[in-house]
């Protein structure tokens, strides 16, 4: 049942809310993290809902009446419901091909025999590569660095905790947000749930966070209160054979691994965060056609516990523990490292 007065109240509060929601995020950050400014990517992902909107939508969720307010909820929460995902997915990068389907590359390479030549495997960009392949003056094909749903925001923790975030309740999840079977959003949801519910590799500490508070809590639990966030500057270089510029080691403490948080395509912002032993981070200047991209590269030096069928080994022709494996940090990804405080 639709409540006209409730709807009017939401619109009025949205008009006068100002930066209340952002201030709530900054307050949580300041209470838990010992540095003043959070990464701008994280600030941009904070939920725009204020406390009144949050409480109102919580009431609608509990009463199973969110469906009648779904378009307004999606707009005010800045999330990718099926009603607006295709409209807002368009980006300014009109010279790039359409955003790759969620599992295209996985399907493309999964059945390749070991030792496939890199010249063949790198069509569309190298998802994984060796550290020695990224040297100043060298060339490397870069994959799609874009987040398929880059604009989406987190939900407040109170609302995210009410979302049935599991395969067991996927029908309830899709019904809640009006997602159609076999749609693009359906594929994104299934892909993300598959990653979030997979069994971790031996030695991997991982979780999927569905709110900015959960993300901060994970980082503090693994690294402490004094941290620094590193992100790739933009998506320039996607699908290009780029020239590598300066390569700078920015974190090389193998005894204290960083936390890598990868943005996943979903209805609202979700990060897959994990900690692997023996990881180094590099800042790399990618000389793309239009401009230079300052990209973050993570290199894993202990791959001994990785699945022998991991895509990296199929691309590079070696097995677990035989080589280091590097990859770019894609759009909206954040890598966290300890600081001295």
């Amino acid at each position: 049942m639709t409540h006209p007065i409730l709807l009017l109240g939401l619109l009025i509060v949205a008009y006068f809310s100002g930066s209340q929601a952002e201030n709530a995020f900054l307050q949580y950050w300041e209470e838990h993290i010992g540095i003043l400014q959070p990464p701008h990517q994280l600030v941009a992902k904070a939920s725009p809902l204020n406390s009144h909107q949050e409480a109102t939508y919580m009431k609608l969720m509990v009463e199973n009446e969110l469906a009648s307010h779904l378009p307004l909820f999606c707009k005010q929460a800045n999330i990718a419901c099926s009603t607006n995902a295709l409209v807002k997915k368009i980006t300014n990068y009109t010279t790039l091909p359409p955003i790759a389907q969620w599992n295209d590359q996985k399907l493309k390479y999964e059945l390749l025999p070991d030792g496939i030549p890199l010249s063949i495997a790198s069509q569309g960009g190298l998802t994984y590569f060796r550290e020695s392949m990224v040297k100043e003056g060298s060339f490397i094909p870069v994959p799609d660095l874009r987040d398929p749903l880059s604009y989406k925001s987190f939900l407040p923790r109170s609302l995210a905790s009410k979302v049935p975030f599991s395969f067991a309740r996927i029908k309830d999840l899709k019904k809640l947000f009006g997602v159609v079977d076999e749609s693009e959003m359906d594929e994104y949801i299934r892909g993300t749930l598959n990653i979030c519910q997979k069994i971790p590799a031996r030695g991997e500490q991982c979780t999927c966070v569905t709110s900015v508070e959960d993300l901060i809590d994970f980082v503090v639990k693994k690294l402490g209160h004094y941290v620094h966030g590193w992100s790739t500057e933009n998506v320039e270089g996607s699908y290009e054979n780029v020239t590598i510029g300066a390569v700078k080691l920015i974190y090389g403490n193998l005894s204290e691994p960083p936390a890598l948080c990868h943005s996943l395509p979903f209805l609202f912002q979700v990060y897959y965060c994990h900690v692997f032993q023996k990881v180094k981070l590099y800042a790399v200047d990618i000389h793309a056609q239009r401009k230079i991209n300052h990209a973050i590269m993570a290199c894993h030096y202990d791959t001994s516990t990785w699945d022998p069928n991991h895509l990296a080994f199929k691309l590079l022709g070696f097995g677990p523990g035989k080589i280091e494996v590097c990859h770019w940090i894609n759009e909206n990804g954040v890598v966290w490292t300890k600081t001295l405080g």
Side-chain angles (χ1 to χ4, degrees):
M1 177 180 178
T2 303
H3 302 278
I5 296 178
L6 180 64
L7 186 64
L8 179 62
L10 283 168
L11 291 170
I12 293 173
V13 170
Y15 183 81
F16 290 105
S17 63
S19 60
Q20 178 185 347
E22 182 177 317
N23 289 339
F25 156 66
L26 292 176
Q27 181 180 347
Y28 196 87
W29 173 271
E30 291 171 0
E31 290 172 353
H32 294 79
I33 302 294
I35 57 175
L36 293 179
Q37 294 297 325
H40 67 87
Q41 291 93 339
L42 201 57
V43 176
K45 291 296 181 181
S47 173
L49 295 177
N50 58 52
S51 57
H52 177 79
Q53 293 168 324
E54 182 180 341
T56 301
Y57 287 124
M58 172 64 75
K59 184 173 184 292
L60 291 172
M61 274 191 176
V62 172
E63 296 175 352
N64 293 318
E65 293 188 2
L66 184 64
S68 59
H69 300 277
L70 193 60
L72 181 60
F73 173 59
C74 295
K75 181 178 180 180
Q76 291 186 335
N78 191 41
I79 62 174
C81 297
S82 58
T83 53
N84 63 11
L86 295 180
V87 175
K88 299 189 73 172
K89 205 176 91 170
I90 299 172
T91 71
N92 294 325
Y93 298 98
T94 54
T95 59
L96 293 177
I99 288 178
Q101 289 296 306
W102 173 236
N103 58 358
D104 266 3
Q105 288 196 351
K106 182 175 183 295
L107 293 176
K108 183 176 178 181
Y109 298 131
E110 198 166 52
L111 300 179
L112 289 179
D114 292 337
I116 195 79
L118 285 178
S119 60
I120 297 175
S122 64
Q123 294 175 13
L126 275 178
T127 311
Y128 300 99
F129 44 88
R130 302 290 303 275
E131 180 188 13
S132 59
M133 298 168 67
V134 183
K135 301 295 182 183
E136 187 168 0
S138 63
F139 299 90
I140 190 169
V142 175
D144 195 349
L145 299 175
R146 292 172 293 177
D147 182 343
L149 298 170
S150 62
Y151 67 87
K152 62 190 182 304
S153 299
F154 277 114
L155 283 180
R157 175 185 268 172
S158 63
L159 294 179
S161 65
K162 297 296 183 182
V163 173
F165 190 77
S166 69
F167 266 121
R169 297 190 61 196
I170 192 170
K171 287 185 178 180
D172 296 331
L173 171 62
K174 290 162 61 176
K175 181 180 179 181
L176 180 63
F177 291 99
V179 177
V180 178
D181 289 346
E182 299 183 3
S183 63
E184 185 177 47
M185 185 59 72
D186 185 18
E187 181 179 330
Y188 286 150
I189 289 172
R190 292 179 181 276
T192 290
L193 291 178
N194 184 58
I195 288 177
C196 292
Q197 296 186 328
K198 73 179 181 67
I199 299 173
R202 184 160 49 90
E204 179 187 20
Q205 305 169 59
C206 62
T207 189
C208 279
V209 295
T210 57
S211 70
V212 71
E213 296 92 344
D214 287 347
L215 175 59
I216 292 172
D217 289 350
F218 176 82
V219 171
V220 169
K221 180 180 179 181
K222 298 302 177 185
L223 303 179
H225 296 279
Y226 293 93
V227 295
H228 184 85
W230 308 86
S231 296
T232 293
E233 188 173 271
N234 54 62
V235 300
E236 294 295 338
S238 296
Y239 291 128
E240 292 183 27
N241 192 32
V242 304
T243 303
I244 299 298
V247 180
K248 179 183 178 181
L249 177 68
I250 56 175
Y251 190 81
N253 187 346
L254 294 180
S255 63
E256 294 187 350
L260 283 67
C261 292
H262 308 281
S263 180
L264 300 180
F266 198 70
L267 295 148
F268 49 88
Q269 183 61 52
V270 173
Y271 277 102
Y272 174 69
C273 294
H274 60 157
V275 175
F276 262 119
Q277 298 299 315
K278 297 186 178 179
V279 176
K280 290 184 181 179
L281 302 176
Y282 296 84
V284 181
D285 287 347
I286 292 177
H287 291 261
Q289 291 180 8
R290 296 201 305 178
K291 60 190 290 190
I292 296 176
N293 187 1
H294 304 291
I296 301 300
M297 177 179 79
C299 290
H300 299 259
Y301 289 85
D302 182 4
T303 61
S304 60
T305 63
W306 290 24
D307 186 339
N309 293 316
H310 194 287
L311 174 58
F313 303 133
K314 292 185 178 295
L315 288 177
L316 302 174
F318 293 86
K322 301 291 180 64
I323 56 169
E324 85 295 335
V325 172
C326 302
H327 60 84
W328 305 111
I329 300 301
N330 285 11
E331 181 182 20
N332 290 324
V334 184
V335 182
W336 303 90
T337 56
K338 282 188 176 183
T339 64
L340 296 177

